[in-house]
Amino acid sequence: MELNGTTAIVTGGGSGIGAALATELAARGARVVVGDLDLSGASRVAESITGAGGQAVAVEADAAAVTGIEAMIARAEADFGPVDVYVANAGVIGKPGLGDESDWDVILDVNLRAHIRAARLLVPGWQSRGSGYFVSIASAAGLLTQLGAAGYAVSKHAAVGFAEWLAVTYGDDGIGVSCVCPLGVETPLLQGIRAADDPDARVGSSSIEHSAPVISAADVAHVTVEAVQADRFLVLPHPELVEMYRRKGSDYDRWVAGMRRYQRTLRAL
């Protein structure tokens, strides 16, 4: 997809991967709506983009709520024109372990239903125009799993599945989809897991940091935007993940046993 002159929305754009994606898209010529619950963070990112000569506006919005998504779309259309690219980046790690009903409601809303709600609002217009692009920021947890946090693992698996379904169902209508699955990325989310006292959370943090080198949000943004330009579905910022995913698929029982051993090792640290 040619990004110069397009209109893009990035959710969770006030920090971390979202901020890096907004900046990278603007550097490629996109006009960006930076959406976030934290308006001050979104505003800092938008001001940084405009200060560098790009075009961006900040919107305080809940990316998991239909009203929040509608507000971002309305601002994009008012300031820049119809939305061409939607980056579903906002995400939460959720509670460690199994959590309770309210925990599951939150994590499924943010990590999955937010994507579904955005697609329902945008896909009909993209079909009529014959173009549009959906970027799902999922996680390696959606291809492997996440030790210590059931909600995160399950919601990210579901996000990958939804992105696959979008790509299969609407690819012939000119709608592109990229699904991004990094391992450890130096972001406020990872920093929060590191600082947690819960033993399951500590296992989760250790599993992320021992699996592969932790990379920067800018690294993820760079490979993601290149994938959008190339219309490539699966984006793996960590090359190590390819072999991990192959080993899982080639012998599932062996992989599960290996993950149990890995979990025991991390709990003993």
Side-chain angles (χ1 to χ4, degrees):
M1 182 181 196
E2 172 55 53
L3 290 169
N4 189 41
T6 59
T7 297
I9 293 174
V10 180
T11 70
S15 65
I17 293 173
L21 281 164
T23 301
E24 185 74 22
L25 285 164
R28 308 285 179 116
R31 300 162 297 193
V32 184
V33 172
V34 183
D36 204 292
L37 284 169
D38 175 13
L39 182 58
S40 62
S43 297
R44 284 193 297 272
V45 174
E47 288 165 6
S48 174
I49 289 170
T50 57
Q55 298 184 67
V57 294
V59 176
E60 181 178 4
D62 181 355
V66 171
T67 54
I69 301 166
E70 289 174 336
M72 290 185 285
I73 293 172
R75 184 64 184 273
E77 291 175 344
D79 284 36
F80 303 133
V83 177
D84 301 293
V85 181
Y86 190 90
V87 183
N89 166 74
V92 294
I93 186 68
K95 295 290 182 69
L98 286 171
D100 58 29
E101 288 296 319
S102 61
D103 299 327
W104 282 94
D105 286 341
V106 170
I107 199 163
L108 290 173
D109 252 12
V110 178
N111 291 359
L112 174 62
R113 294 191 186 109
H115 300 204
I116 298 167
R117 290 164 181 154
R120 290 179 65 187
L121 289 170
L122 289 165
V123 164
W126 287 349
Q127 284 181 293
S128 65
R129 287 159 51 195
S131 67
Y133 212 101
F134 193 95
V135 182
S136 171
I137 306 301
S139 168
L143 299 176
L144 303 174
T145 196
Q146 176 63 50
L147 295 179
Y152 191 77
V154 171
S155 62
K156 291 301 184 179
H157 273 75
V160 172
F162 182 65
E164 289 176 355
W165 184 88
L166 282 180
V168 170
T169 305
Y170 298 113
D172 289 345
D173 296 332
I175 297 173
V177 181
S178 288
C179 184
V180 187
C181 296
L183 286 160
V185 184
E186 193 59 56
T187 63
L189 186 147
L190 179 56
Q191 292 158 9
I193 306 171
R194 279 194 195 116
D197 293 329
D198 184 271
D200 284 333
R202 288 199 299 271
V203 166
S205 172
S206 296
S207 71
I208 293 168
E209 301 196 81
H210 283 81
S211 60
V214 175
I215 63 176
S216 71
D219 292 331
V220 177
H222 179 74
V223 298
T224 298
V225 173
E226 287 199 335
V228 172
Q229 290 180 311
D231 193 18
R232 189 167 70 250
F233 176 78
L234 187 59
V235 186
L236 303 178
H238 289 82
E240 299 92 336
L241 184 57
V242 175
E243 185 56 32
M244 295 177 191
Y245 193 40
R246 285 175 178 159
R247 287 201 300 268
K248 176 182 177 180
S250 66
D251 191 336
Y252 226 112
D253 288 326
R254 181 179 180 182
W255 177 82
V256 169
M259 289 296 285
R260 288 175 183 156
R261 288 194 301 273
Y262 186 40
Q263 180 173 249
R264 290 195 297 271
T265 299
L266 293 174
R267 289 192 185 281
L269 293 178

